[in-house]
Amino acid sequence: MEISSLLPNLLCLFFFLHFASPVLPEYTRPPPRPLILRSHNQSDSHPQQVHISLAGKDYMRVSWITSDKKARSVVEYGTTPGKYGGAATGESTSYHYFFYSSGEIHHVKIGPLKPTTTYYYRCGGGGQEFSFRTPPSTFPVEFAVAGDLGQTEWTESTLAHVGARDYDVFLLPGDLSYADTQQPLWDSFGRLVEPYASTRPWMVTEGNHEIEIFPIIYPQGFKAYNARWVMPYQESKSTSNLYYSFDVAGVHVVMLGSYTDFDSNSDQYKWLQADLASVDRAKTPWIFALIHAPWYNSNSAHTGEGETMRVAMEDILYRARVDLVLAGHVHAYERFTRVYDNKADQCGPVHLTIGDGGNREGLALMFENPSPSISMFREASFGHGRLRVFNATHAHWSWHHNNDADSITADEIWLESLSSSSPCNDDATVTSNSPNDEL
């Protein structure tokens, strides 16, 4: 083709790029990063994948895995390094998934423990010493939050930023390892998060990547998740590890299951009603809820996937004056104003999507345009959140995106508890709201 015949096309391309291209943002959205695989190079009896979780008032559950099937399920602990005045025994389990056979998975419940106290412990009667600090019994209390973690270099960056500043409890609204039936990835994930999950309680709920259903052979799903990440469902009177609740300081946290039955005839629905009805807001002024698939979302990714659950359960949360709903699934960050039934409502919870922990699938870059009026801030970047509850009336939320070595505060807001809001203590539904910097 002659150059002269190309000139009109080149001129058109020049004018399009010069005049039609959007202005590049200051912050460049990062692409996915490679998978990180952590191997185990110790003896068969050496505890690995150690993590802890809250297990009822003043108790902690310590979980770990050994290749040695005969290793003891015992935890020794105390408040002085190397001196263990307490000891507890638990139980162990294992599972098979096609040709994969897990190690021995140990779970031991220890306590009663004192609040805001550092405990030193070792698993299995020997080996490495770990330590953790128990959460406080009174305000202030701080949560770190990250969803859709996976195990990539971005995951490693997110966890490093989380660990660089102190906090009391880690919240993960689903999608942990991204194993997706490749069971060795569960082991690799456990090793990757051990430095963080062994020092602060990790409270998790399931996402779609935990389902791992295989028709006929494994029709129920969640085999690896339920075996490895036991949460305090029995302590909170739930019949399923897929939904439960717990208390820390003056906060009641409800972890809901987006991938188990939630209609009005379901066990989860009935449990949620009873659980929220039991909360005394004079003693526990804050209620937070975690789900995986967001009920509100202006990203083109996973549009409408949480709608059925929203229709079924939103009214329960609204009437209980739940303050905040945290979700994952969408690989981006988005904050909504207080909302109920798709409208701004000063007595509804603030909805936050934070599915940007570092997954291997990359970021969800496409948002609806224009932004809906109830969406206050949104950005497709990897990062994590911080939720510091100062007292019975006020909390501060901030979201920090990763910028390689730095963690940048990109969005923040002050929250007022609905239990302290006079208009919302009335049973009448209030539907007016003017979004501002304090909700």
Side-chain angles (χ1 to χ4, degrees), residues 50-52 60-64 75 106-108 110 121 123:
V50 179
H51 62 269
I52 61 172
M60 198 79 74
R61 181 175 284 108
V62 182
S63 303
W64 74 95
V75 173
H106 307 265
H107 301 290
V108 178
I110 64 174
Y121 68 101
C123 308

Side-chain angles (χ1 to χ4, degrees), residues 51-54 146-147 149 169-177 186 189 193 197 200-207 210 225-226 228-233 240-246 253-257 290-292:
H51 62 269
I52 61 172
S53 55
L54 301 174
L149 271 183
V169 179
F170 185 82
L171 302 177
L172 203 171
D175 283 358
L176 284 69
S177 69
W186 275 109
F189 175 79
V193 303
R200 294 291 183 273
W202 275 39
M203 310 306 292
V204 307
T205 190
E206 84 279 6
E210 277 73 66
Y225 174 80
N226 284 333
R228 295 168 182 269
W229 291 84
V230 175
M231 292 290 115
Y233 72 96
S240 170
N241 192 47
L242 302 180
Y243 52 89
Y244 63 95
S245 66
F246 64 93
V253 183
V254 179
M255 311 289 277
L256 298 177
L290 272 74
I291 55 179
H292 184 61

Side-chain angles (χ1 to χ4, degrees), residues 204-400:
V204 307
T205 190
E206 84 279 6
N208 54 299
H209 287 276
E210 277 73 66
I211 298 174
E212 298 187 315
I213 283 177
F214 195 91
I216 301 176
I217 302 174
Y218 300 112
Q220 302 303 317
F222 303 106
K223 193 168 189 178
Y225 174 80
N226 284 333
R228 295 168 182 269
W229 291 84
V230 175
M231 292 290 115
Y233 72 96
Q234 293 176 321
E235 291 85 349
S236 57
K237 301 179 181 179
S238 167
T239 58
S240 170
N241 192 47
L242 302 180
Y243 52 89
Y244 63 95
S245 66
F246 64 93
D247 294 290
V248 57
V251 181
H252 185 71
V253 183
V254 179
M255 311 289 277
L256 298 177
S258 295
Y259 301 97
T260 187
D261 291 341
F262 46 68
D263 61 60
S264 59
N265 295 317
S266 68
D267 289 342
Q268 181 176 198
Y269 185 96
K270 296 171 184 175
W271 169 83
L272 178 62
Q273 285 184 312
D275 181 80
L276 291 176
S278 70
V279 180
D280 182 352
R281 296 304 284 272
K283 298 178 180 178
T284 312
W286 294 89
I287 302 179
F288 305 147
L290 272 74
I291 55 179
H292 184 61
W295 294 355
Y296 291 93
N297 172 33
S298 72
N299 196 293
S300 61
H302 305 299
T303 302
E305 289 186 19
E307 180 64 9
T308 305
M309 189 180 189
R310 183 194 70 80
V311 171
M313 288 187 155
E314 186 178 29
D315 192 60
I316 304 177
L317 269 59
Y318 180 74
R319 293 187 180 279
R321 298 303 189 239
V322 170
D323 296 284
L324 188 69
V325 177
L326 292 154
H329 201 37
V330 176
H331 300 165
Y333 170 75
E334 185 165 18
R335 173 172 60 85
F336 290 85
T337 188
R338 293 197 177 278
V339 62
Y340 171 66
D341 195 22
N342 289 294
K343 297 182 290 292
D345 189 311
Q346 67 179 0
C347 298
V350 172
H351 282 254
L352 293 159
T353 299
I354 187 160
D356 55 354
N359 62 85
R360 57 178 162 77
E361 296 176 338
L363 295 165
L365 300 171
M366 303 300 293
F367 287 97
E368 294 176 14
N369 191 19
S371 173
S373 60
I374 57 175
S375 179
M376 299 291 99
F377 186 94
R378 52 190 192 172
E379 182 178 302
S381 304
F382 292 115
H384 77 281
R386 297 271 178 173
L387 179 57
R388 185 165 177 79
V389 185
F390 284 92
N391 51 42
T393 60
H394 284 82
H396 182 262
W397 165 262
S398 59
W399 176 68
H400 309 254

